[in-house]
Amino acid sequence: MVSHIFMSTLHHPILIFFISLLGTSSYLQLIKPISCTKGPIFKCSEVERAALLSFKYNLTDPSGRLSSWVGEDCCNWLGVGCNNNTGNVVKLDLRNPSYFDDFDQYNKSCLMGKISSSLLDLKHLRYFDLSLNNFTGANIPKFLGSLENLRYFNLSFSMFSGAIPPHLGNLSRLQYLDLNSNSYPALTQSESLEWLVGFPSLKYLGMDYVNLEKVPDWLHAINVLPSLRELHLASCGLVSLPSSIFSINFTLLSVLDLFSNNFSSSFIPHWLSNVSELSTINLEYTFLGGTIPVGLEHLTNLRSLNLAANNLIGEITEFVDALSQGFNGSLEDGNLPPMQELDLTDNQLNGTIPKSIGKLSRLVSLSLGWNSWEGVLTEAHFLNLTRLKSLWLNLKFSANWTLVLNVKHNWVPPFKLTEISLANVRIGPNFPAWLKTQNELEILLLNNVGISDTIPHGFWKSHPNVTNCILSHNKLHGQVPNFQLHPSLVDFDLSYNNLEGPLPLFHSNLSNIYLDNNMFSGPIPENIGELLPKLFWLDLSSNSITGRIPHSIRMLKELSFLILRNNSLSGKLPHLWKDLQSLLILDLAENNISGNVPSSMQYLRSLEVLSLSQNHLDGEFPSLFRNYSNLQSLDLGRNKFFGKLPTWLGESLPLLLRLRLRSNFFQGDIPQQLCLLSNLQILDLAHNDFSGVIPQCLGSLRSNENKGYWGGYDYQMFLVSKGIEYEYGQTFVYHVYSIDLSSNNLSGEIPDNITSISELVIMNLSMNHLTGRISKKIGNLHTLETLDLSMNELYGPIPESLSNLTFLSR
């Protein structure tokens, strides 16, 4: 099963935007636009006033941000700044005051429309900011390249598209240029960066998410900027990172951000160590290979190094040793290594983590997860990390632990962490006592760390700020201490342990609860809707829960995932579903629920997965299912449903990937309209009473890109393979193609074109009344692992092409 692992987003356009904000303050001071708040001696000129009004006239302003643009003195208008001595307009700051975190308000505050060429009358304009607006795919006007006095120019996140006009290269006084897009794939592009040669004073260049894949030599173009201090080219489609450069001109460069480009044939270049002012290097997700070069330790100003999500190999001992010693002086002299953030996550690094990591005493964030570390971590590895706030050492899942944290029971760490992930690192069998000293924790991820203990009673009191707590895949036992009135907790995962007693569902602001695969017993609290009003995801599967589904669940308006499979729930399905229209996943399989499917379930129009298998439900195929146009998986197997399959099934459920109606009492023909389910991947109608012929059109079913993946939800389905019924998890179900029509009363010949379903893994047509010959094309099913045509009335020779099906013998 896919474990429920909380992962913070490593990079996102919004995050890039906020990072760029942090880097702008020094350049704003250099530009020093005149503020309009001091009251100008002169009023703005009539020409400039008219220019601004014409600019306003061409804009759409739904929130009235420009409502102050009335009267004679434009220097008093919001967003307009004038020179106090001349009255000339020198600043136009129309940045959207709302951000993406409140998307509705952001949309309302966006300026839209057309940028008027009347701006050319603002001859003295030095500062122009239109960021975070929405110009709905308009091109960047060429005439903006004629605002020759501009020092600061920001069009980021404003939905421009098309080619960046090279005319911008005429802005020779520019110090700050931000053209960051906010879309992937990129809306804006440039096939050449030669126009950058016109910027001898440029200190900041932001072109994240601008398509530069056709730029032949981007580094050569950047190298003409001698004043450059920050370079942001994230997600630009760059395909090479040159290993050498003849002469470095951007010697003042402090920030280099090349996140998410494809340098798959490149290594980390050695020339980086010659850019002595570098303080931030971000090469995350750039597919770089090779080892980490020794030499970066010469960058004595380096504070942040992000090499995550690459293909780096080898050990890091030499690199970390050099990094911890590669500064002038010594610890005794008060000279500390400057490194504050080190991220080597998700590479192919191996070996041991050196003790010298503990000498990087200014480290605030250390992320080494998702590599192949081995050995033992002791107190010495953390000895001087007094400033550390974030520690990510999570490894890939392995049956045996390769990395062990071995510290004394009374160890008091030198740090106060806010984030820690030691997933798949052995720290058990005892619950770590040192955790109680970490009372500032917000994220705690200790899944599969070998703890075989109870949860201490003072645990929640010691961690009042925890928002994400994952202790899954251990051997925790006993009952869960009460965490009522713990307002910060949002994600709570205790799945795959041996916990027992009543369900630990206490009044809280929890959004996601994973208590599956334990030994909890008793009923779901009747007042669950009052206890957990913000619940989004509830997984209580594979426990020993009894009783009925409580009616108060209808109060959970935000509930999208309700997974109660493999328990002992009984009674009928309640009439409460009209209030749960946000549900995406409803899994009630393997319980003792009886009766009909209630009519109120017709309102679950957002459902993507419905699993009611292995209960005692009855009735005809529910007509209300025709409302489920988003449904991708429907499992009604092993119930008591009867009657004919409706012909609307193929038309009303166009996205269906998996249909399992096995072991019911359905009868009649298999409707031809079933073939309209062109995405169908699994069709299991076995052990019913279907008659007639197999529809010829079944051979038209084809593989598809959307195979239904639902994040941390481990979709499960029973399938028969080689005569044995297995319960498969999402990893298998995601890939398998299966047709099982066995144990019915089907007659006629096997459709010849069924052999054209090239990805078919399971085909079982046994125990029917099929006649005719086995198709000679049967050998085309190269991926077939299970083929059962037994107990029919087939005749003729066995096709020689069957010998091509090598998987059948496995």
Side-chain angles (χ1 to χ4, degrees):
M1 173 169 176
V2 178
S3 61
H4 315 288
I5 300 177
F6 171 81
M7 293 289 286
S8 59
T9 305
L10 294 177
H11 240 286
H12 187 278
I14 297 173
L15 296 183
I16 295 172
F17 164 71
F18 283 112
I19 291 170
S20 70
L21 283 183
L22 296 176
T24 63
S25 58
S26 59
Y27 305 114
L28 299 185
Q29 293 170 3
L30 286 170
I31 296 164
K32 295 183 180 177
I34 306 299
S35 171
C36 64
T37 60
K38 296 181 179 180
I41 298 174
F42 298 96
K43 295 181 180 179
C44 71
S45 72
E46 182 58 32
V47 172
E48 291 185 329
R49 177 180 175 275
L52 289 173
L53 288 176
S54 178
F55 174 66
K56 174 187 176 182
Y57 178 79
N58 285 276
L59 295 177
T60 302
D61 180 18
S63 65
R65 286 168 51 196
L66 306 184
S67 59
S68 69
W69 286 29
V70 293
E72 294 185 2
D73 190 3
C74 63
C75 294
N76 291 323
W77 296 354
L78 183 69
V80 179
C82 296
N83 185 297
N84 286 335
N85 296 319
T86 65
N88 295 129
V89 174
V90 295
K91 179 178 181 180
L92 195 53
D93 186 356
L94 298 178
R95 179 192 200 88
N96 191 335
S98 299
Y99 300 120
F100 298 113
D101 54 352
D102 187 348
F103 200 72
D104 289 339
Q105 184 59 41
Y106 159 77
N107 271 332
K108 293 176 183 177
S109 301
C110 279
L111 295 176
M112 296 173 282
K114 179 183 176 182
I115 299 178
S116 171
S117 59
S118 65
L119 290 177
L120 293 177
D121 289 330
L122 304 180
K123 304 291 186 182
H124 304 277
L125 193 65
R126 296 161 61 94
Y127 183 109
F128 189 24
D129 191 340
L130 274 180
S131 59
L132 283 166
N133 289 290
N134 186 357
F135 290 94
T136 59
N139 291 336
I140 298 174
K142 297 177 182 178
F143 66 79
L144 292 176
S146 298
L147 297 171
E148 58 186 26
N149 275 308
L150 276 184
R151 270 70 165 175
Y152 180 101
F153 190 25
N154 191 344
L155 298 181
S156 64
F157 295 90
S158 285
M159 295 297 290
F160 288 103
S161 68
I164 294 174
H167 307 72
L168 296 184
N170 297 326
L171 304 176
S172 59
R173 294 182 173 91
L174 211 57
Q175 298 180 29
Y176 183 105
L177 177 61
D178 195 345
L179 301 175
N180 288 2
S181 177
N182 59 341
S183 176
Y184 186 84
L187 292 175
T188 51
Q189 71 272 350
S190 182
E191 296 186 5
S192 171
L193 293 178
E194 292 181 4
W195 49 275
L196 291 177
V197 73
F199 297 143
S201 302
L202 195 69
K203 303 180 189 307
Y204 181 103
L205 178 60
M207 296 181 68
D208 292 344
Y209 295 90
V210 175
N211 187 344
L212 302 177
E213 63 182 4
K214 294 184 179 180
V215 175
D217 189 352
W218 66 271
L219 186 60
H220 175 75
I222 298 298
N223 201 33
V224 302
L225 301 173
S227 302
L228 195 64
R229 287 173 169 79
E230 289 200 29
L231 177 63
H232 298 269
L233 297 179
S235 296
C236 288
L238 303 175
V239 294
S240 67
L241 182 59
S243 59
S244 62
I245 184 170
F246 178 71
S247 176
I248 298 175
N249 293 323
F250 46 80
T251 56
L252 300 177
L253 192 67
S254 174
V255 176
L256 175 63
D257 184 0
L258 300 177
F259 164 77
S260 188
N261 287 288
N262 190 352
F263 303 141
S264 57
S265 60
S266 305
F267 302 98
I268 299 174
H270 287 276
W271 56 259
L272 279 178
S273 60
N274 295 324
V275 187
S276 59
E277 296 297 319
L278 275 174
S279 65
T280 299
I281 299 175
N282 185 359
L283 296 175
E284 179 187 353
Y285 199 50
T286 53
F287 301 96
L288 289 165
T291 59
I292 302 174
V294 175
L296 293 179
E297 73 277 4
H298 298 309
L299 298 174
T300 56
N301 295 306
L302 192 60
R303 288 168 173 76
S304 177
L305 178 61
N306 188 346
L307 303 177
N310 282 292
N311 299 311
L312 301 174
I313 60 174
E315 300 190 4
I316 63 168
T317 300
E318 185 179 5
F319 166 68
V320 174
D321 286 350
L323 199 62
S324 64
Q325 299 170 7
F327 57 94
N328 297 323
S330 63
L331 290 175
E332 289 74 16
D333 296 331
N335 294 300
L336 303 176
M339 185 70 68
Q340 297 177 14
E341 299 177 4
L342 177 60
D343 192 344
L344 305 178
T345 305
D346 196 12
N347 280 283
Q348 301 170 33
L349 301 168
N350 55 30
T352 60
I353 297 174
K355 292 181 180 179
S356 56
I357 200 84
K359 293 182 179 180
L360 301 178
S361 51
R362 289 188 180 177
L363 271 182
V364 175
S365 176
L366 176 60
S367 301
L368 304 178
W370 295 97
N371 284 289
S372 300
W373 307 121
E374 59 186 31
V376 179
L377 297 174
T378 67
E379 294 92 336
H381 287 81
F382 309 101
L383 188 61
N384 295 307
L385 302 184
T386 57
R387 307 183 189 194
L388 197 64
K389 290 296 181 182
S390 177
L391 177 62
W392 291 74
L393 293 179
N394 45 306
L395 301 186
K396 299 173 184 177
F397 181 82
S398 174
N400 299 309
W401 291 284
T402 60
L403 186 63
V404 177
L405 176 63
N406 185 11
V407 295
K408 295 179 180 178
H409 179 74
N410 60 352
W411 179 53
V412 177
F415 44 66
K416 289 280 189 178
L417 298 176
T418 57
E419 301 177 354
I420 184 171
S421 175
L422 295 176
N424 304 311
V425 176
R426 175 156 189 167
I427 65 174
N430 296 324
F431 204 95
W434 54 266
L435 266 183
K436 66 184 178 182
T437 67
Q438 303 302 299
N439 53 17
E440 297 178 11
L441 274 177
E442 297 174 7
I443 297 174
L444 174 62
L445 311 183
L446 297 181
N447 41 309
N448 189 37
V449 296
I451 298 176
S452 180
D453 202 348
T454 58
I455 300 175
H457 278 282
F459 178 73
W460 302 114
K461 188 175 181 180
S462 300
H463 304 97
N465 302 315
V466 166
T467 60
N468 301 82
C469 179
I470 298 182
L471 302 175
S472 65
H473 291 82
N474 287 291
K475 295 182 180 179
L476 294 169
H477 53 265
Q479 297 192 13
V480 179
N482 190 316
F483 58 87
Q484 193 167 4
L485 302 178
H486 200 278
S488 302
L489 197 59
V490 175
D491 292 285
F492 185 44
D493 188 351
L494 296 178
S495 62
Y496 287 87
N497 280 288
N498 298 320
L499 296 164
E500 57 189 10
L503 288 167
L505 300 177
F506 311 116
H507 183 71
S508 66
N509 292 321
L510 277 168
S511 292
N512 305 312
I513 299 177
Y514 312 99
L515 300 176
D516 52 289
N517 291 276
N518 279 286
M519 298 186 293
F520 294 116
S521 58
I524 301 172
E526 283 293 333
N527 61 341
I528 185 174
E530 300 171 5
L531 292 175
L532 301 163
K534 297 183 179 180
L535 202 57
F536 174 82
W537 191 314
L538 179 63
D539 190 346
L540 306 179
S541 60
S542 299
N543 282 286
S544 299
I545 301 169
T546 56
R548 299 171 179 261
I549 298 174
H551 281 79
S552 71
I553 280 185
R554 71 193 322 156
M555 300 171 65
L556 304 176
K557 305 295 185 182
E558 299 178 24
L559 191 64
S560 294
F561 293 77
L562 180 58
I563 307 161
L564 305 177
R565 72 178 297 128
N566 192 21
N567 280 289
S568 298
L569 295 170
S570 58
K572 296 183 178 181
L573 289 172
H575 291 273
L576 51 77
W577 307 101
K578 185 176 181 180
D579 298 312
L580 296 178
Q581 296 186 34
S582 295
L583 270 182
L584 300 175
I585 309 292
L586 178 59
D587 190 344
L588 305 177
E590 299 178 74
N591 280 287
N592 296 312
I593 300 170
S594 58
N596 295 325
V597 174
S599 60
S600 63
M601 291 187 74
Q602 67 182 294
Y603 297 102
L604 301 181
R605 291 184 172 90
S606 298
L607 267 189
E608 296 181 7
V609 173
L610 177 61
S611 183
L612 301 175
S613 65
Q614 292 189 231
N615 280 286
H616 305 293
L617 297 166
D618 55 33
E620 294 188 342
F621 192 91
S623 61
L624 58 87
F625 287 174
R626 69 191 311 164
N627 295 323
Y628 295 173
S629 58
N630 294 310
L631 199 65
Q632 297 181 37
S633 185
L634 175 61
D635 190 351
L636 303 180
R638 294 193 180 278
N639 278 288
K640 300 176 182 179
F641 292 106
F642 56 84
K644 296 183 178 181
L645 287 188
T647 56
W648 53 257
L649 196 150
E651 298 175 352
S652 299
L653 307 180
L655 303 181
L656 203 62
L657 297 167
R658 302 169 189 109
L659 176 63
R660 182 176 181 267
L661 305 178
R662 183 186 193 88
S663 298
N664 281 283
F665 300 101
F666 291 112
Q667 60 187 34
D669 292 345
I670 298 175
Q672 292 283 334
Q673 291 84 349
L674 206 63
C675 298
L676 295 175
L677 300 173
S678 57
N679 296 318
L680 201 61
Q681 183 178 326
I682 293 176
L683 176 63
D684 189 349
L685 306 180
H687 290 269
N688 281 283
D689 195 22
F690 289 110
S691 56
V693 300
I694 299 173
Q696 289 285 333
C697 56
L698 278 185
S700 65
L701 301 179
R702 291 291 181 269
S703 63
N704 56 87
E705 294 182 1
N706 178 22
K707 298 188 177 183
Y709 179 71
W710 298 280
Y713 169 57
D714 186 21
Y715 177 75
Q716 295 176 313
M717 178 176 278
F718 285 93
L719 293 174
V720 173
S721 178
K722 300 182 180 180
I724 303 174
E725 189 172 47
Y726 298 97
E727 185 175 25
Y728 291 105
Q730 179 163 275
T731 303
F732 181 84
V733 173
Y734 184 84
H735 296 288
V736 74
Y737 285 75
S738 171
I739 294 178
D740 193 340
L741 305 179
S742 61
S743 298
N744 281 285
N745 288 310
L746 299 170
S747 58
E749 296 186 353
I750 300 173
D752 192 55
N753 65 354
I754 204 169
T755 60
S756 64
I757 308 177
S758 59
E759 296 187 33
L760 201 61
V761 175
I762 298 171
M763 184 165 71
N764 190 347
L765 306 179
S766 65
M767 290 184 279
N768 281 286
H769 306 290
L770 301 174
T771 58
R773 299 173 181 268
I774 301 173
S775 171
K776 295 179 180 179
K777 299 178 182 178
I778 194 75
N780 294 340
L781 301 175
H782 298 293
T783 59
L784 202 63
E785 295 184 14
T786 296
L787 175 64
D788 193 346
L789 305 177
S790 64
M791 300 184 70
N792 280 289
E793 300 170 19
L794 302 171
Y795 59 85
I798 296 175
E800 293 182 6
S801 62
L802 268 177
S803 62
N804 297 332
L805 305 182
T806 56
F807 285 106
L808 287 177
S809 60
R810 297 185 181 182

